[in-house]
Amino acid sequence: MRALLLLALVLPLSQPADAQRKRPPPPCASAEHRQFDFWLGDWQVFDKTGVVQRERITWTPNADGSVRQFWESSSDDGKRWTTAFDGLYKHPNSG
């Protein structure tokens, strides 16, 4: 009897719930959505002569498939930074 009771308690824990088995893939997880991943990360900005400017740009992917671009600029050798652009890019069909 104890073995049967123990089995009845343990058996449901060993099987995944229906919600876990039918979890949809995360948004923007397909190969098509990953085509522009080379944009992600930190970027340096150069002027026409090849000199690095005091600017920094970061592209960050979000869980919903959108991408945030954050661009900062400094005119005093990086002591103070000013936000030049802070934007969120979403696919028009993403909702």
Side-chain angles (χ1 to χ4, degrees):
M1 181 69 176
R2 278 184 161 182
L4 186 58
L5 180 59
L6 183 60
L7 183 62
L9 292 174
V10 173
L11 189 61
L13 296 175
S14 65
Q15 298 177 2
D18 282 345
Q20 290 176 339
R21 273 188 265 155
K22 297 178 183 177
R23 188 173 290 164
C28 305
S30 71
E32 179 182 354
H33 289 94
R34 310 274 23 133
Q35 291 180 62
F36 293 101
D37 280 359
F38 63 88
W39 281 110
L40 303 176
D42 298 324
W43 288 75
Q44 291 181 317
V45 179
F46 297 86
D47 67 11
K48 293 178 184 180
T49 64
V51 176
V52 176
Q53 300 299 299
R54 295 286 183 219
E55 300 189 11
R56 53 189 179 195
I57 304 171
T58 304
W59 296 81
T60 308
N62 297 312
D64 65 356
S66 63
V67 176
R68 179 181 182 215
Q69 179 190 9
F70 191 68
W71 187 326
E72 296 175 294
S73 180
S74 175
S75 59
D76 59 3
D77 292 327
K79 293 175 186 162
R80 288 178 293 169
W81 292 91
T82 303
T83 300
F85 181 77
D86 186 2
L88 187 65
Y89 298 91
K90 295 179 92 171
H91 190 277
N93 297 331
S94 67

